[in-house]
């Protein structure tokens, strides 16, 4: 009756091609995640002098347009492998093999590889070096990474493609920074397997929570209440795509995120935003939490939503 961390680790790592020995130690990941999670202790992280390892190139703009990057984010225990397949297909759509890879750590260090392209929608892959992180630590990552990229590459809006725990963090960050003119803001966001009202057996027991007649979840955790009470801060010009999975077993979930948790963000955003689209992926072979980011059907829906061909 509890969240199976061992099983989640095995499934989350199944497509991982990188050598795990290159990761920071478990002590490093957990201790820095704790410092980033607790507001007052973030002071110690900010004492560290930022280092930027730049192996990237910047192309000149190829026309008179405003650039709006498409940024890919992974979630808890994810990595570059989480978004590699999605990015590969997006590059085919664009007919361009170049993209920028940004690896960041919680000290505020950055490693830049690849190319910031000169087209209208440069692709950026974000990798969290300390990848065993919760909501508050990912929030902290986003507040480091997004303004860094915006200042360096001179953009004011971006589109986000997020998987798992990155999904609620993208929404939280937009609400938190709604009135900050020097912070980049969302134009579109594609949310894949997002836990908006709990994770299975961690605040969300399968088939217990549901929706009332108005579509609001009957049980709401603190994170969901944050969305609910701050929903008017979310810019109404944003377009949202929410994709979630149902493996069609007795849990009504993608094995880790319940359908109710994933769909709960609809009540918060759908009445406010420019457009809100929702897609349910079904079947054990197609809708499992850590497979959806590689599912060709999911990728095709996301790419049409972003519209790389503009």
């Amino acid at each position: 009756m509890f969240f199976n961390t061992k099983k989640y680790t095995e499934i989350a790592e199944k497509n991982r091609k990188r050598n795990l020995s290159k990761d920071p130690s478990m002590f490093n990941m957990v201790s820095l995640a704790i410092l980033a999670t607790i507001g007052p202790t973030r002071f110690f992280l900010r004492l560290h002098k930022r280092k930027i390892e730049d192996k990237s190139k910047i192309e000149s703009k190829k026309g008179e347009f405003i650039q709006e990057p498409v940024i890919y984010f992974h979630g808890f225990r994810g990595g570059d492998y989480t978004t590699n397949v999605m990015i590969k297909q997006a590059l085919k759509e664009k007919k361009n093999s170049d993209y920028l890879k940004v690896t960041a750590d919680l000290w505020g260090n950055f490693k830049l590889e690849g190319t910031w392209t000169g087209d209208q929608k440069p692709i950026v892959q974000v990798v969290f070096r300390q990848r065993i992180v919760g909501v508050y630590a990912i929030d902290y990552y986003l507040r480091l990474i997004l303004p860094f990229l915006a200042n360096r590459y001179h953009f004011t809006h971006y589109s986000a493609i997020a998987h798992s725990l990155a999904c609620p963090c993208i929404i939280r960050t937009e609400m938190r920074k709604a009135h900050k003119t020097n912070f980049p803001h969302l134009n579109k966001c594609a949310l894949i397997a997002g836990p908006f009202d709990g994770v299975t057996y961690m605040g969300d027991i399968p088939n217990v929570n549901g929706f009332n007649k108005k579509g609001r979840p009957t049980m709401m955790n603190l994170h969901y209440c944050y969305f609910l009470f701050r929903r008017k801060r979310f810019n109404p010009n944003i377009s949202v795509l929410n994709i979630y999975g149902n493996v069609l077993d007795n849990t009504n979930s993608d094995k880790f995120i319940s359908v109710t948790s994933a769909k709960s963000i609809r009540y918060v955003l759908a009445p406010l935003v420019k457009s809100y689209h929702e897609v349910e992926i079904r079947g054990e072979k197609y809708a499992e939490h850590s497979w959806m980011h590689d599912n060709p059907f999911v990728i095709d829906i996301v790419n049409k939503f972003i519209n790389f061909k503009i």
Side-chain angles (χ1 to χ4, degrees), residues 71-244:
I71 308 180
Y72 290 76
F73 300 94
H74 66 81
F76 177 76
R77 277 195 178 273
D80 53 4
Y81 64 93
T82 303
T83 55
N84 277 342
V85 176
M86 290 192 288
I87 289 174
K88 182 179 179 180
Q89 291 302 116
L91 294 172
K92 287 182 180 180
E93 291 275 328
K94 291 180 63 180
K95 298 181 180 179
N96 185 339
S97 61
D98 293 325
Y99 68 97
L100 181 71
K101 180 178 179 179
V102 180
T103 305
D105 66 23
L106 289 169
W107 292 114
N109 300 319
F110 290 90
K111 181 179 180 181
L112 307 175
E113 304 170 274
T115 304
W116 173 271
T117 57
D119 57 286
Q120 192 169 355
K121 295 182 178 180
I123 288 178
V124 180
Q125 180 185 49
V126 167
V127 180
F128 305 139
R129 183 112 169 91
Q130 286 80 28
R131 58 196 185 88
I132 301 178
V133 285
V135 169
Y136 297 112
I138 294 180
D139 282 354
Y140 185 70
Y141 262 127
L142 296 181
R143 279 180 271 168
L144 288 173
I145 294 168
L146 289 171
F148 170 80
L149 293 175
N151 290 334
R152 191 176 185 89
Y153 300 109
H154 311 293
F155 64 88
T156 59
H157 289 79
Y158 71 103
S159 293
I161 299 173
H163 177 256
S164 191
L165 200 58
C167 297
C169 296
I170 291 293
I171 305 300
R172 284 170 58 91
T173 299
E174 184 64 29
M175 289 177 174
R176 183 182 291 270
K177 298 295 183 179
H179 304 300
K180 299 291 184 181
T181 57
N182 60 343
F183 196 93
H185 294 287
L186 282 172
N187 180 37
K188 291 183 176 181
C189 59
L191 312 169
I192 303 171
F196 300 103
D197 193 16
V199 175
T200 303
Y201 300 122
M202 289 184 67
D204 182 26
I205 300 174
N207 301 314
V208 171
N209 202 2
F211 299 106
N212 66 16
K213 292 181 180 180
K214 294 182 178 180
R216 191 185 73 187
T218 54
M219 299 170 62
M220 298 176 286
N221 65 15
L222 291 176
H223 296 301
Y224 190 82
C225 290
Y226 182 96
F227 299 137
L228 193 59
F229 296 145
R230 290 165 176 79
R231 61 189 183 278
K232 291 185 179 179
R233 296 185 182 183
F234 203 75
N235 192 316
N237 294 317
I238 297 172
S239 298
V240 179
L241 170 65
N242 186 25
I243 302 176
Y244 58 92

Side-chain angles (χ1 to χ4, degrees), residues 40-51:
T41 61
R42 291 171 181 168
F43 168 77
F44 297 103
L45 295 174
R46 291 192 288 267
L47 289 175
H48 187 274
K49 186 177 180 181
R50 176 177 290 179
K51 297 178 182 178

